[in-house]
Amino acid sequence: MTERGDYLQTKDVISAFENLLPIIHRTPLNQSSTFNDMAGAQLYFKMENLQRTGSFKIRGALNKITNLSKYAKRNGVIAASAGNHAQGVAFSATKQGIKSKIYMPEKTPMAKVIATKAYGAEVVLTGESFQEAYEAALEDQKISGATFIHPYDDYEVMAGQGTIALEMIQQCSDLNTIVVPIGGGGLIAGVASLVKNFDPTIKVVGVQSTGAPATYNRFKGLGNHRLDNVTGIADGILVKESGRLTFPLINHYVDEIVTVSDEEIASAIILMLEREKMFVEGAGAAAFAAILSGKVNVAGKHVGVIVSGGNADIEKIPYFKRLAMSEKAKRKIVSL
């Protein structure tokens, strides 16, 4: 694995792909004639909500953990997560026969907490956001000696996430744009690195929540690179700052970053549920929300849309529906 911070090598992603192949699902790249008509484009949805553990995060976690030395595995692994990385780490650690402990924000959807425990991890709920959980996990790691598995700021994790792009290119050779949700940046860093080294003409667009725009701010030179507070329904991408290793890759390879509101995300969630019978989480709907709201110009293009996860609490559907029915959200959908 390369130690350089300015790029991720294609061979790293290919190696991760070979490593993960026996275990992960090759998720489908779905189309919807309804959504194509709404967007005026050919949309290809990479359904990582159908991945094992319900999210793309298993790709990075599994690649990292399977590559650990026996010494690194000796005291188990520890991680911090808003939910999906937690499940990926728990599953991967159990698969390797080692113990895992995960720190998660107090407001993590209960579905993710229950699933993480079911995969075999010890769970500790603490703090408002990922940042507080992350800091608590680091303090614990100093005492326990467990190996820390970062959710995004690690090259082997990024290489695992980049396997999504490798699959997408194999599944559709016509893609000329890929839209990717951004939290800490591991997914888009891995995807963009693979895509741009394969074909620099493919446009890569990142999407953040308006309630957590740390990477957007940094990419645009707007200041506020480290946020004091984050809020929103897309808990999987509510991160207070971009990664030390991920941002140089994002800055080098990504063409554009946009933000979407909770209302826009909720509209995408409800549309996917009503039209495609798919219930996805807020972060998983963010890329589609950017297209629906017109934040990304996709007219006439072949667009890959990464649906990053589906681990949402079903009890929140009425709330998502109320957000989606707001006047602002309705105007944006009707205007397409």
Side-chain angles (χ1 to χ4, degrees):
M1 177 62 58
T2 177
E3 293 297 323
R4 291 183 60 182
D6 58 345
Y7 75 98
L8 185 67
Q9 295 183 337
T10 299
K11 68 179 180 65
D12 299 329
V13 179
I14 294 173
S15 176
F17 183 77
E18 294 171 347
N19 187 31
L20 303 180
L21 195 58
I23 300 174
I24 66 163
H25 297 321
R26 182 183 177 89
T27 53
L29 196 67
N30 289 349
Q31 280 204 286
S32 162
S33 57
T34 299
F35 294 156
N36 287 348
D37 290 342
M38 291 178 72
Q42 295 294 312
L43 303 182
Y44 302 84
F45 292 84
K46 184 58 171 169
M47 306 303 291
E48 284 294 292
N49 60 308
L50 302 179
Q51 185 56 263
R52 299 187 78 163
T53 73
S55 162
F56 79 96
K57 284 286 191 176
I58 189 176
R59 295 175 183 261
L62 186 60
N63 190 50
K64 178 66 177 180
I65 290 173
T66 54
N67 281 318
L68 291 177
S69 66
K70 289 183 179 180
Y71 177 81
K73 294 177 181 178
R74 186 179 60 180
N75 294 321
V77 296
I78 193 167
S81 169
N84 289 333
H85 178 63
Q87 293 174 69
V89 170
F91 175 93
S92 303
T94 299
K95 195 81 173 175
Q96 292 289 305
I98 58 179
K99 62 182 180 180
S100 59
K101 186 175 185 179
I102 319 290
Y103 281 78
M104 307 174 77
E106 292 174 352
K107 294 182 180 179
T108 300
M110 192 50 59
K112 295 183 178 182
V113 176
I114 293 171
T116 302
K117 291 180 179 179
Y119 286 124
E122 176 187 352
V123 174
V124 179
L125 298 178
T126 185
E128 172 203 32
S129 71
F130 164 77
Q131 192 64 35
E132 289 77 25
Y134 172 66
E135 291 167 1
L138 287 181
E139 288 301 312
D140 190 325
Q141 190 270 340
K142 293 176 184 177
I143 298 170
S144 67
T147 297
F148 191 82
I149 309 297
H150 202 286
Y152 52 84
D153 227 9
D154 182 290
Y155 288 119
E156 287 180 317
V157 170
M158 285 184 261
Q161 320 303 28
T163 61
I164 293 174
L166 187 59
E167 288 184 13
M168 293 175 75
I169 290 168
Q170 291 172 344
Q171 291 167 311
C172 180
S173 60
D174 295 327
L175 293 178
N176 47 41
T177 302
I178 298 179
V179 188
V180 190
I182 304 176
L187 174 59
I188 195 168
V191 166
S193 296
L194 186 283
V195 166
K196 290 297 188 177
N197 283 305
F198 171 76
D199 183 353
T201 68
I202 298 176
K203 187 175 182 180
V204 179
V205 180
V207 183
Q208 285 213 292
S209 165
T210 56
T215 301
Y216 172 84
N217 289 347
R218 190 174 178 187
F219 187 81
K220 296 286 189 177
L222 300 177
N224 294 327
H225 298 171
R226 191 184 192 285
L227 307 174
D228 293 328
N229 298 288
V230 292
T231 183
I233 63 173
D235 56 276
I237 54 174
L238 299 185
V239 177
K240 289 187 174 180
E241 61 182 332
S242 56
R244 180 178 61 86
L245 301 181
T246 61
F247 186 77
L249 290 162
I250 293 168
N251 197 46
H252 183 68
Y253 288 122
V254 173
D255 295 284
E256 179 64 284
I257 299 178
V258 301
T259 61
V260 288
S261 67
D262 278 358
E263 291 82 5
E264 290 161 346
I265 293 170
S267 296
I269 291 173
I270 296 301
L271 269 173
M272 292 194 76
L273 181 59
E274 291 178 343
R275 304 295 177 88
E276 296 301 312
K277 314 309 175 190
M278 287 283 186
F279 183 38
V280 303
E281 63 186 271
F288 185 35
I291 293 170
L292 282 175
S293 60
K295 302 289 181 65
V296 183
N297 179 18
V298 299
K301 298 178 181 177
H302 293 263
V303 184
V305 185
I306 296 182
V307 182
S308 57
N311 295 314
D313 282 340
I314 196 167
E315 293 84 359
K316 291 185 177 179
I317 290 178
Y319 176 58
F320 295 155
K321 192 168 185 179
R322 287 196 298 273
L323 284 175
M325 290 299 291
S326 71
E327 286 302 312
K328 180 179 179 182
K330 284 193 292 184
R331 283 199 303 271
K332 288 186 180 297
I333 291 176
V334 169
S335 68
L336 287 170

